[in-house]
Amino acid sequence: MSAQLPASLSEETVREISDGRDEPEWLLETRLNALEALEEVDLPDVIQTPGRRWTDLESLDYEELVDPLNQSDETERVTDEGVHVLPFTDAFEEFGDVLEENFGATLDPESNYLTALSTALFTTGTFIYVPEGVDAEDVKVRAEMNSKSLFSHTLVVTEQSSSVTILERIESGAETEGDRYFSNLVEVATGENSYVQYGSLQNLDDDTYHYTLKRGDAGVYGTINWIEGNMGSRLTRSDVETELNGDSSETQIVGAFFGHEDQHLDLNARVWHQAENTTADLVTRGVLDDEARSVYEGVQDVGRDAWNTSSYQRENTLMLSDESEADASPKLIIHNHDTEASHSATVGQVDQEDLFYMTSRSVPERQARNMLVEGFFVPVLDEIAVDEFREDLEELISARLR
């Protein structure tokens, strides 16, 4: 179902955004096409069971949330030797051809209502270009939202035999009255035998509604690894997706979340195996407290030509209160018999025997529970190879427990 088009959004609005950024004609045309598509495309699919829609995106007041001409952010970008990390407005002159070729090629701007809205209106974002043979480990993007609404777009392009680790952190800055909306689109296109690790840690305030779609295209011998940490926002809809289009390509999607109060987290991990000898590993762990709710869908889609596929998925949710709620829907779609694949999902509460064991040895109950929660996250933390990201996530988990 499609949402109502905000009255504040028009062709003149989009042209004003584009002219203010001195954008090339092809990008203005992309924006206008996305604007036109808003009349036709639907909101992102959500899981439904008879009589129930697990996530309600339709009731969001986009008229109230979207303020396209008053977007404000403070974004710090840290680059590494040989890597180009630029705001879009600074990249057009030197990398205009690369931008035009790759923008929207991996992530279709018109795939749903929220991607089209974001493409038409984005005012911030980052272009990351990794030339052939460059190895970089210290690229950072730290974004602070300082307005009612903010739309961001990140494009990562790597050339042959290059590698890069990117850490993104998203937080709320200056306070504004009322609800807020943050949209974050990320697309990654890899060259042959290149490696991308993209870690994103979101800790927006509890007045913010958050939508993100991260999508990668892994070429021959290419690797795209995602780390997705969701700690903040009132409602988060997060989609992390990889297409394994090259022979011997690989992906890993690692997710961690901690919801409390009345937070709602709709988290999705999807992989399409399209070529031979591809490998995927999806690992997600989360904790819910108070009246928080999580919805998880994991999809492993093995195509007819995807011979010798390995694909694994694990999702575990720990609930700390009787009022919290979790749903999980892992899926296998297999069209090639030469496949090793599995999926699992569990939902449960703190083990009472473990809790009794610790309290019987003079550990205070609250401290014992917190230690068990921290231990619950260890398997997913062990999957995070980036020390800085793992430490930041551990710090946020500890703060939430306190």
Side-chain angles (χ1 to χ4, degrees):
M1 183 176 292
S2 182
Q4 184 177 359
L5 192 66
S8 59
L9 185 54
S10 64
E11 181 176 333
E12 289 72 23
T13 303
V14 173
R15 287 185 178 275
E16 185 174 343
I17 291 172
S18 184
D19 291 346
R21 293 159 52 85
D22 196 23
E23 293 177 348
E25 188 66 26
W26 66 263
L27 185 51
L28 172 59
E29 184 178 346
T30 301
R31 288 182 182 274
L32 293 176
N33 288 340
L35 175 66
E36 184 178 354
L38 287 172
E39 299 285 0
E40 303 294 335
V41 295
D42 294 329
L43 287 163
D45 290 335
V46 298
I47 299 175
Q48 299 182 63
T49 51
R52 184 175 191 183
R53 184 183 297 269
W54 289 11
T55 298
D56 184 9
L57 298 174
E58 296 173 15
S59 64
L60 295 188
D61 188 348
Y62 296 97
E63 176 69 44
E64 174 64 26
L65 290 171
V66 175
D67 187 4
L69 297 180
N70 293 294
Q71 300 182 55
S72 175
D73 71 286
E74 186 173 328
T75 300
E76 178 187 2
R77 299 173 178 88
V78 178
T79 188
D80 201 354
E81 185 175 356
V83 182
H84 302 272
V85 181
L86 302 166
F88 270 87
T89 48
D90 295 347
F92 294 130
E93 182 174 352
E94 185 177 356
F95 298 104
D97 292 343
V98 179
L99 278 164
E100 184 175 4
E101 178 182 356
N102 290 280
F103 187 95
T106 300
L107 190 161
D108 181 4
E110 301 172 23
S111 59
N112 65 60
Y113 182 91
L114 297 183
T115 58
L117 185 68
S118 195
T119 301
L121 299 181
F122 80 94
T123 61
T124 188
T126 303
F127 172 64
I128 300 173
Y129 177 68
V130 189
E132 181 177 349
V134 169
D135 295 320
E137 298 182 352
D138 197 26
V139 175
K140 298 184 179 68
V141 179
R142 302 186 183 97
E144 185 179 270
M145 178 183 182
N146 294 318
S147 53
K148 175 182 281 291
S149 60
L150 185 64
F151 298 87
S152 174
H153 197 111
T154 297
L155 172 61
V156 181
V157 179
T158 64
E159 299 295 347
Q160 182 175 346
S161 300
S162 63
S163 69
V164 63
T165 294
I166 303 161
L167 300 183
E168 170 189 75
R169 184 153 182 163
I170 301 167
E171 296 179 321
S172 299
E175 293 185 9
T176 61
E177 293 184 2
D179 296 333
R180 304 205 276 183
Y181 180 81
F182 181 83
S183 175
N184 183 33
L185 304 185
V186 177
E187 51 184 330
V188 175
T190 65
E192 182 177 341
N193 193 37
S194 72
Y195 171 90
V196 175
Q197 181 162 238
Y198 196 103
S200 180
L201 186 55
Q202 177 267 120
N203 192 33
L204 295 162
D205 65 33
D206 57 9
D207 290 326
T208 304
Y209 296 90
H210 175 232
Y211 173 69
T212 181
L213 171 57
K214 300 178 177 71
R215 187 175 177 91
D217 180 349
V220 176
Y221 295 110
T223 298
I224 300 177
N225 291 338
W226 304 96
I227 311 169
E228 183 81 349
N230 283 293
M231 302 295 291
S233 85
R234 178 182 301 174
L235 182 150
T236 287
R237 168 61 187 249
S238 169
D239 297 290
V240 182
E241 306 175 346
T242 304
E243 284 199 30
L244 298 172
N245 291 315
D247 287 354
S248 301
S249 54
E250 301 180 4
T251 191
Q252 183 182 50
I253 302 175
V254 176
F257 64 91
F258 196 152
H260 73 151
E261 297 179 350
D262 63 347
Q263 278 185 276
H264 183 102
L265 300 115
D266 186 330
L267 311 172
N268 305 275
R270 303 185 184 95
V271 175
W272 289 268
H273 297 264
Q274 309 282 25
E276 297 182 12
N277 308 308
T278 57
T279 302
D281 190 20
L282 285 59
V283 185
T284 300
R285 284 207 167 200
V287 171
L288 300 174
D289 202 355
D290 305 319
E291 298 178 2
R293 173 168 169 73
S294 71
V295 178
Y296 170 84
E297 182 179 61
V299 178
Q300 302 147 273
D301 191 315
V302 180
R304 296 185 183 279
D305 298 323
W307 300 94
N308 191 29
T309 290
S310 296
S311 191
Y312 303 97
Q313 178 184 175
R314 307 177 299 285
E315 196 276 339
N316 309 97
T317 304
L318 181 66
M319 296 186 295
L320 303 182
S321 76
D322 293 334
E323 290 73 33
S324 59
E325 187 175 357
D327 289 287
S329 177
K331 298 177 181 176
L332 287 172
I333 305 172
I334 300 177
H335 300 286
N336 188 307
H337 64 83
D338 188 17
T339 297
E340 291 185 6
S342 66
H343 64 64
S344 65
T346 64
V347 175
Q349 295 183 321
V350 171
D351 189 289
Q352 293 303 308
E353 289 188 9
D354 290 342
L355 190 63
F356 175 76
Y357 176 85
M358 297 176 72
T359 56
S360 68
R361 281 152 179 79
S362 302
V363 179
E365 183 173 350
R366 181 78 178 190
Q367 181 182 348
R369 192 201 71 160
N370 289 354
M371 291 171 65
L372 290 171
V373 171
E374 291 173 341
F376 173 79
F377 276 111
V378 166
V380 74
L381 293 170
D382 285 346
E383 297 285 348
I384 301 175
V386 185
D387 292 342
E388 181 178 346
F389 190 100
R390 184 174 59 253
E391 290 165 3
D392 286 349
L393 183 57
E394 287 177 327
E395 181 180 334
L396 289 176
I397 291 169
S398 296
R400 176 63 53 84
L401 289 170
R402 290 195 298 269

